[in-house]
């Protein structure tokens, strides 16, 4: 049974805070690096809930960008040369494995290995 302080905390928290806490709990125990703590230019394994998926041109060819969130931050997987990534739907869990870098202020993994949860 939840304590009174936990109930009070949930009643006074914003929707965004509750969503972040939900995401952090959902992806614990999978051996993932929290997105907010992901090192740059090193192999990393991050996971989260798909927040956005879009088709964008990159260097004259199509690319699918999938943005995930785990409650600590957001990461974008860029899949070049693709027009569609089957099975990718908003709200679904996804694990990305690759080398992270920053691009226009966001964490990006270029052509990462991925697993849909």
């Amino acid at each position: 049974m939840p304590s009174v302080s936990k109930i009070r905390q949930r009643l006074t928290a914003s929707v965004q805070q509750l969503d972040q806490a939900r995401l952090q709990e959902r992806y614990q125990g999978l051996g993932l690096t929290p997105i907010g703590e992901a090192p740059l230019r090193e192999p990393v394994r991050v996971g989260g809930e798909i927040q956005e998926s879009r088709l964008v041109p990159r260097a004259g060819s199509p690319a699918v960008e999938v943005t995930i969130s785990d409650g600590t931050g957001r990461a974008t997987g860029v899949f070049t040369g693709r027009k569609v990534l089957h099975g990718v739907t908003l709200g679904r869990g996804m694990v990305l494995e690759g080398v992270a870098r920053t691009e226009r202020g966001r964490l990006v993994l270029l052509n990462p290995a991925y697993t849909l949860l």
Side-chain angles (χ1 to χ4, degrees):
M1 179 165 225
S3 68
V4 174
S5 64
K6 285 201 177 217
I7 292 172
R8 181 180 302 128
Q9 193 175 33
R10 292 191 104 174
L11 290 173
T12 60
S14 70
V15 173
Q16 183 180 9
Q17 290 169 328
L18 292 173
D19 192 45
Q20 288 174 344
R22 177 188 63 83
L23 288 172
Q24 288 173 22
E25 288 176 17
R26 182 176 177 190
Y27 296 102
Q28 279 183 341
L30 296 177
L32 304 173
T33 301
I35 293 172
E37 300 172 13
L40 299 177
R41 294 184 277 154
E42 291 182 24
V44 67
R45 186 170 185 253
V46 296
E49 187 174 275
I50 298 171
Q51 303 284 309
E52 181 182 11
S53 176
R54 62 190 188 136
L55 179 64
V56 295
R58 284 179 77 91
S61 66
V64 175
E65 289 187 357
V66 179
T67 302
I68 62 171
S69 174
D70 69 353
T72 66
R74 291 168 61 106
T76 301
V78 178
F79 301 88
T80 58
R82 309 273 308 251
K83 289 186 179 180
V84 68
L85 206 56
H86 294 288
V88 171
T89 56
L90 298 181
R92 188 165 187 183
M94 184 179 214
V95 174
L96 300 175
E97 296 180 63
V99 177
R101 65 186 177 126
T102 57
E103 184 178 289
R104 292 181 283 198
R106 60 188 183 148
L107 188 71
V108 173
L109 288 85
L110 192 59
N111 291 318
Y114 70 95
T115 304
L116 295 171
L117 302 176

